[in-house]
Amino acid sequence: MTVEATTERVLRLLALLQHRPSWTAAELAAELRVTDRSVRRDVERLRALGYPVHATAGVGGGYQLGAGTRLPPLLLDDEEAIATAVSLRLASGGTVAGAGEAALRALAKLDQVMPPRLRAEVRAVHGATETLVGPGIEIDPELLVTLARACRDAVRVCFRYAGRDGGERERTVEPVRMVATGRRWYLMAWDVDRDDWRTFRLDRMRDVVATTWRFRAREHPDPVAYVQRSVTEAPYRYLARVRVHAQSDRVRELVPPQVGRVEDDRDGWCVLVVGGEDLDWLAVHVARLGFEAEVLEPPELREAVARLARRLAAMASTVANEHGSDADRQPEGRVVVAFDAQVPRLESM
């Protein structure tokens, strides 16, 4: 057998080992159409190249690709290569400090070895795509690693945390999960001192240290849902509940999860829960959604909507008078907002 054929078979073996966690020698031999002895020799060739291929004996034993002391080359199929290249391009504008440059370096290496046909497809995607992202806050990657390990190993973490008033306090927590919203990173953890679940913004953490104190995992809320409730409700002076005449999926397209929570209702309606510091601001943005809406609470928001309606009516009346006609008058009664204009997605508050 030629050297080229042997090399091709070894690469095929590597691709198989990367495809699923474990293979028996007989399965690999059947896939490669060689003997078990050839499989063993090819496994040794991979090990010589730095790939840690583990072997287990007995019933159910076989070969498994493990983690080594360095990162060996990976084999990617067409779909994996395209997905990786597109993801690296998006990661180049991410919120992890230094990750953008690392992503661009990795993308350059992948582009160099990618077949021309795949390179053309990836560049077509890049050329036809623009990324619209708001300003994010960069997070130190070492902080992410520290918290990730603490979540994995179930060890307490101590840090100084800057509150909304600017003061810093010592906190000791039992971390469960990190949640990224696209603009910010959050940690959901059990606050030891306050004896309750809390959400912490990673950009407000200082002097983060993972201790050696292991804790027993306790039942906890869904991290994503808990963080969403925390960031859309707790930080704000006012919490509004507005019944919207639209399907919940349509409203979620306009309201990012870090801005508001959308709950299913009935008969084609849903309920939007959103927080804010200014009632007039809330009234404007609820109106901008473009759907009929009924304010459930707080009562002060109904008053803000009524003020907005009067201002708009006065503006319309002024324009109508300039053109020699009277403005339409809105009937009095329950405060309902109905706008037909298509509006952009509601941004973070």
Side-chain angles (χ1 to χ4, degrees):
M1 182 173 289
T2 64
V3 174
E4 290 80 4
T6 301
T7 301
E8 182 179 352
R9 191 182 67 237
V10 171
L11 291 176
R12 172 64 177 154
L13 172 61
L14 176 59
L16 291 173
L17 292 173
Q18 291 178 347
H19 183 66
R20 79 183 200 197
S22 180
W23 293 82
T24 66
E27 289 173 333
L28 290 173
E31 289 283 341
L32 298 172
R33 297 181 181 180
V34 297
T35 63
D36 291 2
R37 184 178 180 183
S38 294
V39 171
R40 290 194 294 272
R41 286 200 299 264
D42 290 345
V43 166
E44 291 302 324
R45 292 186 177 100
L46 285 178
R47 288 170 175 165
L49 292 173
Y51 292 93
V53 182
H54 304 310
T56 55
V59 179
Y63 293 100
Q64 183 176 3
L65 189 62
T69 57
R70 61 187 178 88
L71 182 65
L74 300 176
L75 288 180
L76 304 175
D77 61 26
D78 290 3
E79 292 183 355
E80 292 170 340
I82 293 175
T84 301
V86 173
S87 298
L88 288 171
R89 174 65 69 183
L90 293 176
S92 64
T95 57
V96 179
E101 296 180 3
L104 289 177
R105 292 198 305 269
L107 183 62
K109 293 178 181 178
L110 184 61
D111 185 76
Q112 184 178 3
V113 299
M114 191 177 291
R117 57 185 176 82
L118 294 184
R119 187 184 300 119
E121 292 185 13
V122 171
R123 289 180 176 176
V125 173
H126 292 166
T129 304
E130 295 290 343
T131 303
L132 179 61
V133 295
I137 300 175
E138 287 193 343
I139 302 299
D140 186 347
E142 292 187 6
L143 172 60
L144 292 178
V145 173
T146 298
L147 294 177
R149 288 174 177 169
C151 292
R152 180 197 63 191
D153 300 336
V155 296
R156 288 183 176 179
V157 174
C158 297
F159 53 89
R160 296 185 62 82
Y161 192 70
R164 300 184 68 195
D165 58 0
E168 290 192 353
R169 298 175 179 85
E170 294 284 349
R171 311 298 283 266
T172 300
V173 303
E174 297 176 354
V176 173
R177 193 70 51 84
M178 287 184 291
V179 177
T181 66
R183 296 182 64 250
R184 293 189 177 97
W185 287 76
Y186 298 88
L187 174 70
M188 174 185 153
W190 179 263
D191 192 315
V192 175
D193 297 326
R194 289 157 179 78
D195 198 33
D196 198 3
W197 295 107
R198 288 291 188 272
T199 298
F200 301 94
R201 277 176 46 176
L202 268 62
D203 58 292
R204 292 181 177 175
M205 294 182 176
R206 302 288 183 272
D207 304 326
V208 180
V209 176
T211 70
T212 57
W213 181 286
R214 291 186 177 273
F215 62 88
R216 180 176 298 178
R218 67 184 79 217
E219 292 187 9
H220 58 77
D222 176 73
V224 173
Y226 184 84
V227 169
Q228 184 186 22
R229 284 195 300 271
S230 299
V231 302
T232 58
E233 299 177 12
Y236 300 108
R237 180 181 179 185
Y238 299 104
L239 180 62
R241 291 177 58 84
V242 180
R243 195 163 179 257
V244 181
H245 193 187
Q247 296 295 328
S248 56
D249 290 342
R250 179 69 182 110
V251 178
R252 290 189 183 100
E253 292 177 358
L254 300 173
V255 182
Q258 68 270 23
V259 173
R261 188 175 78 254
V262 182
E263 303 172 349
D264 293 325
D265 199 26
R266 62 185 184 279
D267 301 329
W269 291 72
C270 63
V271 175
L272 171 64
V273 182
V274 61
E277 295 295 328
D278 183 87
L279 289 171
D280 291 332
W281 186 95
L282 280 172
V284 169
H285 282 281
V286 169
R288 290 180 65 236
L289 291 177
F291 304 112
E292 180 183 356
E294 176 187 352
V295 176
L296 301 179
E297 57 181 338
E300 295 85 354
L301 181 57
R302 298 193 190 100
E303 299 172 3
V305 170
R307 287 196 300 272
L308 175 62
R310 288 194 295 269
R311 292 169 187 164
L312 293 177
M315 292 172 60
S317 177
T318 300
V319 173
N321 290 335
E322 291 178 353
H323 289 79
S325 62
D326 294 330
D328 294 334
R329 296 183 179 275
Q330 298 296 326
E332 297 181 359
R334 186 177 61 179
V335 177
V336 174
V337 183
F339 283 70
D340 295 327
Q342 295 298 313
V343 296
R345 177 180 166 102
L346 185 64
E347 295 301 329
S348 179
M349 301 180 182

